[in-house]
Amino acid sequence: AVVHEAVVVTEADSDRAFYQEINHRLVEAGDHRGIPNCLFLNSNGKDQLGAITAPLRSLGIPAASITDIDVLKNERKSWTNFLTGGHVPDTLSDSWALVRKNTRDALVATGKNMKRGGGLALLSGDQLAAAKSLLNNLAFWYV
């Protein structure tokens, strides 16, 4: 990782291959969204994303994690590890935990699979707005 400009950590090897290929195509096309000289790593599950991202960031290596929406259903410890890996301060982490819990509860209450059943489209009104805000905050923090 120290010889790359950035690192992207994904949950599974299939995710790593997918995002790496997309990035390669963007770089080749000269698209500003591509990241030249970027290393893509597989964490073998969302529970390890923070464990890989944290030391990279501690070394000053730009590192981001990509996860699926079902990260919202993780137990409190897994969620905390994910945020700790991104060096999210406790003040933000605590407030985001409440929004995560409320979002997870609202998604579970639909009776549908949040990952394959529609994601945020299962929500509406204030629940949808809060969920979008949480994901936007995570996207901002992890980039």
Side-chain angles (χ1 to χ4, degrees):
V2 294
V3 298
H4 290 83
E5 292 181 36
V7 176
V8 174
V9 184
T10 64
E11 289 182 42
D13 196 51
S14 58
D15 296 330
R16 180 211 50 81
F18 174 78
Y19 289 112
Q20 184 173 333
E21 180 62 23
I22 296 298
N23 186 64
H24 173 74
R25 291 180 186 200
L26 289 170
V27 170
E28 288 292 311
D31 190 304
H32 71 280
R33 294 172 295 174
I35 307 168
N37 196 23
C38 182
L39 176 64
F40 287 77
L41 299 174
N42 159 24
S43 71
N44 289 316
K46 69 178 95 14
D47 291 342
Q48 295 303 310
L49 287 168
I52 294 172
T53 307
L56 294 169
R57 286 185 166 208
S58 292
L59 290 170
I61 299 168
S65 295
I66 298 176
T67 185
D68 300 323
I69 191 169
D70 62 344
V71 72
L72 298 176
K73 69 180 175 183
N74 280 1
E75 296 301 320
R76 181 161 170 75
K77 183 178 178 186
S78 296
W79 175 254
T80 303
N81 290 343
F82 177 68
L83 296 182
T84 301
H87 293 183
V88 175
D90 289 342
T91 335
L92 290 176
S93 181
D94 292 343
S95 63
W96 291 355
L98 178 60
V99 178
R100 179 203 60 90
K101 180 192 176 307
N102 291 340
T103 300
R104 182 198 63 209
D105 293 349
L107 287 166
V108 168
T110 68
K112 297 186 178 174
N113 181 308
M114 70 176 73
K115 186 173 177 179
R116 294 182 178 85
L120 294 187
L122 296 171
L123 303 176
S124 61
D126 290 344
Q127 292 173 334
L128 178 60
K132 283 182 176 182
S133 175
L134 175 62
L135 295 181
N136 286 333
N137 286 329
L138 287 170
F140 173 78
W141 197 266
Y142 263 91
V143 186

